[in-house]
Amino acid sequence: MHRFFSRIDELVHFEKYSAHCDIPCKIYDPIISQIAALSVVRLIDIIAENEMDVGSHEALNLVTRCVVRKEEEAEKVKTEIRTIWGDYFKAAQFEKYPEVHSLVHNIMMKASACKQSTHRSNALELVDLVNEFAAAFWDTKAVSVEKKICPYPPNLDMVYPVL
Amino acid sequence: MHDGDYLLVRKVLRSGEIRNGYIVTVKHPQFGRIVKVVVAVTPETVKLAGISKMSTSTNDLGDIKKEDIDGVGVAVIPRRSRDDSRCSWFRFLKNDEIQGLRA
């Protein structure tokens, strides 16, 4: 019977309805991507702050660790933002923020740029873009936001919800 | 119900016919097209819940206008039947069965 309906589905494309979301209890929060973006800045700073003998094992170890971690944190930004954009944002939110598609695309591009280099400017722009996304996200939930300097290095302006 | 199951629905002709325990398909303003169970009915709106305990809560789903309800589930055509002896190639939905699934 299911196979029979599958064949019809292939021809007429039944409407798809979801019984559940990917994350139980609708837990979406851009703070994970914000912290990951901050981590990218911090890791670039650590590399710059530790001017060591480039040939030493210590230097190699430190730079390797920072670069690997930077790669992971930049990828985390991309994954988290894509999840919120793909799973949380729906017609009503897109209507309110039609520019969110280009914003998300810019975040993807900037996170990739952060992987490719150790330019601090790229990481700072990534933080700004992720903050912009966070502000849009909280606005869709009618939660106001405020800008505060994060209380740890790299001490940058961050968007936080006022709860 | 599982991913990939087909749900046969009938169109809602009169808003008064919606009852507690009905499985309904809804065009939700935030969550899009969803399948849920009716748990409370007022003259204008209904409240919904998921079959799974992990589902988005009734409060988060909010009050749903009756006109946003697309259809009422009549039967399920399961994708797989070998794992569940109760599953057959065609299963009519009954209110007591739905309550059992939610327990």
Side-chain angles (χ1 to χ4, degrees):
Chain A
M1 185 64 137
H2 191 275
R3 207 175 300 157
F4 171 71
F5 273 88
S6 294
R7 297 260 162 81
I8 300 173
D9 194 6
E10 284 167 16
L11 295 172
V12 300
H13 303 297
F14 296 141
E15 289 184 345
K16 286 190 169 52
Y17 284 74
S18 304
H20 57 82
C21 45
D22 286 348
I23 303 171
C25 310
K26 213 180 63 166
I27 299 172
Y28 296 107
D29 195 325
I31 193 67
I32 302 168
S33 55
Q34 289 174 280
I35 291 171
L38 280 175
S39 300
V40 173
V41 178
R42 181 67 189 134
L43 288 159
I44 289 171
D45 287 350
I46 290 171
I47 293 169
E49 286 164 8
N50 286 274
E51 292 286 343
M52 294 193 290
D53 176 8
V54 288
S56 74
H57 288 160
E58 280 300 306
L60 275 174
N61 184 63
L62 178 78
V63 171
T64 304
R65 284 193 71 197
C66 288
V67 169
V68 168
R69 196 70 195 162
K70 177 168 69 71
E71 192 83 9
E72 289 170 358
E73 295 298 322
E75 188 57 39
K76 196 187 288 178
V77 171
K78 295 175 79 164
T79 303
E80 290 295 324
I81 295 290
R82 271 199 305 262
T83 302
I84 295 175
W85 171 73
D87 294 358
Y88 167 74
F89 274 79
K90 300 227 166 37
Q93 290 77 25
F94 288 137
E95 201 174 307
K96 195 167 185 182
Y97 281 99
E99 66 276 18
V100 76
H101 302 300
S102 60
L103 176 59
V104 168
H105 186 249
N106 288 340
I107 291 171
M108 298 299 124
M109 301 297 282
K110 195 54 72 179
S112 293
C114 289
K115 289 180 173 192
Q116 290 157 1
S117 75
T118 54
H119 297 312
R120 194 173 198 263
S121 58
N122 280 332
L124 292 176
E125 286 172 35
L126 180 66
V127 170
D128 286 344
L129 288 167
V130 173
N131 272 334
E132 193 181 333
F133 182 87
F137 169 83
W138 288 116
D139 191 47
T140 65
K141 298 174 90 66
V143 174
S144 58
V145 295
E146 59 185 353
K147 270 202 162 184
K148 288 269 173 80
I149 295 173
C150 65
Y152 37 75
N155 302 109
L156 296 175
D157 262 350
M158 297 303 290
V159 166
Y160 295 109
V162 181
L163 301 173
Chain B
M1 286 180 67
H2 299 95
D3 283 347
D5 288 355
Y6 286 108
L7 176 67
L8 285 188
V9 297
R10 62 177 171 79
K11 285 287 172 194
V12 180
L13 300 175
R14 290 177 297 107
S15 61
E17 65 177 301
I18 297 166
R19 302 260 191 281
N20 280 353
Y22 278 11
I23 284 189
V24 290
T25 54
V26 178
K27 286 203 172 94
H28 193 283
Q30 185 182 347
F31 297 104
R33 292 169 176 163
I34 52 174
V35 181
K36 295 289 167 190
V37 180
V38 175
V39 291
V41 182
T42 70
E44 302 294 325
T45 63
V46 296
K47 285 190 183 294
L48 304 173
I51 293 171
S52 163
K53 283 179 180 171
M54 292 206 304
S55 176
T56 301
S57 71
T58 299
N59 272 352
D60 283 336
L61 288 165
D63 291 330
I64 307 298
K65 290 182 202 159
K66 283 184 174 174
E67 62 249 34
D68 289 337
I69 295 177
D70 279 345
V72 173
V74 175
V76 175
I77 297 148
R79 190 161 63 95
R80 286 176 296 203
S81 59
R82 62 185 169 198
D83 297 335
D84 187 345
S85 58
R86 290 176 307 163
C87 278
S88 57
W89 52 275
F90 191 91
R91 189 156 50 96
F92 279 107
L93 290 168
K94 295 172 189 163
N95 278 356
D96 56 348
E97 179 189 9
I98 295 162
Q99 294 304 327
L101 285 169
R102 300 186 68 230

